[in-house]
């Protein structure tokens, strides 16, 4: 069990056209998180974000009025590094390298740079040029070539994926902060949405493109008495294997599983002294719906190939055995690279989520390779 | 080799052989482990010495997708495949002369070299001789 807490959270609204700079989004979310933690900007002395974040640390310090930092780091891998940012922050505050670490991510991912679009120049550094020349030029296609093996191995259909989306959009419909607030869909709507990558992903299997910013503040647990709503960081984990790639995960012996997520699950539960049965609520990164299936199986919530039935039985829904993506997920709430799902994991422990599942003692956040177990401080 | 292939020290052998309609797989000169995509060091034994193995060009489709919007607007839709080469590595390519939109899981394929935007490139077609 770590000796650190999430002391504060903050976010902008989630939109398709923020109308302001990504630096302003980062500054708004960060200031809100710092104040929520009961701190002043001058008390923050560490910063962590994603390698792909476009907001320079020193410029953000200037905006916020942070005087001096003694720790900064960034996590590779895009969204799979979302929970790893918290692992970095925990390492900083428990080693004494910093005392209060700001974690942030902000972008105009819809109105400025759209990850999901094919890019004009089909070249990139290796290994991308082994794929882009053959038409693997968007994240949807990169991932779908992996997911198709899972579908074939276990007889999973696109309609099975749709049952997850319906569940996520149901949560989003009752979350006022979600872009798809008040707009649930049916399985028929899902099946009528257009193919993005046949026969794997339809439009409603793909996460949104969103503008927005989210931030967290991590401190040592000794600050908990001074924090209004502290949340314990019970355990963190992050795992990467050779013969893998974030965008071209085609070389594992068995492509119908997610061994890195399974390894992180084992580490999380061993470090926390808990089991999957102890988890009260889960947030699982889904830039595409099939990842929920792979992560449910990797974490042992169900057996290999059983996620479709597990979801069809309503286990992820309100009142189910494992309420999942209770903010609506990246499909329903917003795509802020998965850090908005950490925020939801915190809200569930605090008891302040729009779709609160009751008392939460163990809140799981999985951003695939990395993960967090949060609990009551 | 076209500009988009950008052959570099680690992978020039692959595209130079492709220009002669040969499919080469990199293999460690010390421990014999095959590797693809090419890389300068053997992850099994640490050796920097490497050789190549000429592949039979035959393999099996591990996974595939039907690509609806290829990377150039004037390109036709195509089937992208992940091929398990019989010799033991996986490569990403396209299925040429694909007769339909799928499914293609586990079907046998054989390499077919074609020119693509100025570069001789290993594609695959269904292996009619294989059961």
């Amino acid at each position: 069990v770590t000796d650190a807490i999430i002391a504060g959270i903050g976010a902008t609204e989630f939109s398709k056209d923020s109308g302001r700079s990504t630096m302003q989004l980062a500054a708004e979310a960060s200031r809100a998180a710092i104040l929520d933690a009961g701190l002043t900007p001058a008390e923050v002395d560490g910063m962590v974000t994603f390698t792909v974040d476009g907001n320079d640390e020193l410029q953000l310090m200037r905006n916020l009025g942070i005087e001096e930092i003694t720790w900064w780091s960034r996590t590779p891998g895009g969204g799979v590094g979302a929970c790893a940012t918290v692992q970095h922050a925990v390492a900083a505050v428990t080693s004494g390298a910093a005392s209060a670490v700001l974690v942030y991510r902000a972008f105009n991912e819809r109105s400025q740079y759209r990850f999901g679009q094919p890019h004009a120049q089909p070249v990139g550094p290796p290994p991308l040029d082994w794929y882009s020349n053959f038409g693997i030029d968007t994240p949807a296609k990169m991932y779908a070539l992996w997911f198709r093996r899972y579908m074939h191995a276990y007889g999973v259909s696109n309609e099975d994926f749709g049952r997850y989306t319906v569940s996520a959009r149901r949560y989003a419909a009752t979350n006022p902060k979600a872009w798809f607030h008040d707009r649930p869909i049916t399985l028929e709507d899902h099946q009528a949405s257009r193919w993005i990558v046949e026969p794997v992903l339809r439009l409603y299997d793909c996460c949104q493109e969103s503008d927005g910013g989210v931030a967290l503040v991590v401190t040592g647990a000794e600050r908990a008495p001074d924090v209004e709503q502290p949340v314990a960081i019970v355990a963190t984990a992050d795992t990467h294997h050779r013969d893998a790639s974030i965008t071209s995960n085609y070389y594992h012996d068995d492509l119908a599983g997610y061994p890195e997520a399974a390894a992180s699950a084992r580490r999380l539960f061993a470090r926390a002294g808990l089991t999957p049965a102890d988890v009260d609520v889960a947030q699982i990164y889904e830039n595409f719906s099939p990842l929920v299936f792979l992560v449910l199986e990797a974490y042992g919530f169900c057996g290999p190939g059983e996620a479709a039935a597990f979801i069809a039985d309503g286990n992820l829904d309100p009142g189910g055995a494992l309420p999942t993506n209770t903010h609506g997920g990246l499909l329903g709430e917003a795509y802020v690279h998965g850090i908005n799902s950490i925020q939801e994991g915190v809200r569930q422990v605090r008891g302040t989520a729009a779709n609160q599942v009751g008392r939460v003692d163990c809140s799981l956040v999985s951003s695939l390779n990395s993960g967090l177990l949060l609990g009551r401080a | 080799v076209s500009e988009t292939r950008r052959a570099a020290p680690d992978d020039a052998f692959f595209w130079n052989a492709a220009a002669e309609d040969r499919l080469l797989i990199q293999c460690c000169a010390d421990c014999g482990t095959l590797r693809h995509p090419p890389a300068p060091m053997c992850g099994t034994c640490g050796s920097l010495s490497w050789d190549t193995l000429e592949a039979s060009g035959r393999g099996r489709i591990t996974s595939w997708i039907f690509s609806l919007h290829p990377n150039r607007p004037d390109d036709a839709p195509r089937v992208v495949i992940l091929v398990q080469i019989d010799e033991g590595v996986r490569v990403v390519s396209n299925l040429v002369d694909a007769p339909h939109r799928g499914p293609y899981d586990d079907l046998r394929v054989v390499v077919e070299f074609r020119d693509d935007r100025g570069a001789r490139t290993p594609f695959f077609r269904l292996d009619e001789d294989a059961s």
Side-chain angles (χ1 to χ4, degrees), chain A residues 122-200:
Chain A
V123 291
L128 273 183
D129 53 7
W130 290 96
Y131 314 114
S132 56
N133 284 302
F134 297 103
I136 300 288
D137 56 1
T138 64
K141 284 191 263 188
M142 294 168 184
Y143 279 87
L145 191 59
W146 168 25
F147 301 149
R148 174 60 201 172
R149 187 66 204 176
Y150 171 77
M151 296 172 75
H152 179 64
Y154 295 116
V156 175
S157 69
N158 174 264
E159 189 173 316
D160 291 322
F161 297 149
R163 292 192 179 86
Y164 164 72
T165 301
V166 170
S167 175
R169 291 290 295 270
R170 178 175 169 180
Y171 282 119
T174 51
N175 171 10
K177 293 186 169 67
W179 177 257
F180 284 121
H181 178 235
D182 213 18
R183 281 182 284 174
I185 65 165
T186 65
L187 188 58
E188 291 68 34
D189 295 331
H190 175 275
Q191 287 296 290
S193 71
R194 71 177 185 274
W195 283 115
I196 300 299
V197 184
E198 188 179 342
V200 183

Side-chain angles (χ1 to χ4, degrees), chain A residues 325-336:
Chain A
N325 289 340
T326 48
H327 53 337
L330 308 184
L331 273 61
E333 187 186 59
Y335 181 72
V336 191

Side-chain angles (χ1 to χ4, degrees), chain A residues 184-348:
Chain A
I185 65 165
T186 65
L187 188 58
E188 291 68 34
D189 295 331
H190 175 275
Q191 287 296 290
S193 71
R194 71 177 185 274
W195 283 115
I196 300 299
V197 184
E198 188 179 342
V200 183
L201 302 173
R202 292 184 184 275
L203 177 65
Y204 288 165
D205 294 302
C206 303
C207 68
Q208 297 180 55
E209 300 173 281
S210 302
D211 289 6
V214 177
L216 319 163
V217 174
V218 173
T219 72
E222 76 283 352
R223 282 197 54 86
D226 304 322
V227 174
E228 200 163 323
Q229 299 180 87
V231 168
I233 302 168
V234 178
T236 68
D238 190 16
T239 308
H240 301 275
H241 291 164
R242 113 187 206 197
D243 287 334
S245 164
I246 302 304
T247 53
S248 50
N249 199 11
Y250 308 143
Y251 303 109
H252 283 308
D253 289 342
D254 180 8
L255 291 186
Y258 202 152
E260 294 93 339
S264 276
R266 287 193 298 274
R267 293 196 167 97
L268 275 180
F269 291 125
R271 288 169 183 171
L274 297 171
T275 71
D278 293 313
V279 175
D280 296 313
V281 62
Q283 317 303 327
I284 298 174
Y285 188 95
E286 21 71 290
N287 47 358
F288 304 106
S289 60
L291 283 168
V292 174
F293 293 62
L294 286 159
V295 169
L296 288 171
E297 294 173 16
Y299 270 74
F301 292 117
C302 59
E306 294 175 2
F310 186 78
I311 292 169
D313 288 345
N315 285 295
L316 308 193
D317 298 331
L322 186 72
T324 294
N325 289 340
T326 48
H327 53 337
L330 308 184
L331 273 61
E333 187 186 59
Y335 181 72
V336 191
H337 237 159
I339 196 168
N340 53 313
S341 299
I342 303 176
Q343 180 178 243
E344 174 68 4
V346 168
R347 285 190 297 238
Q348 286 287 354

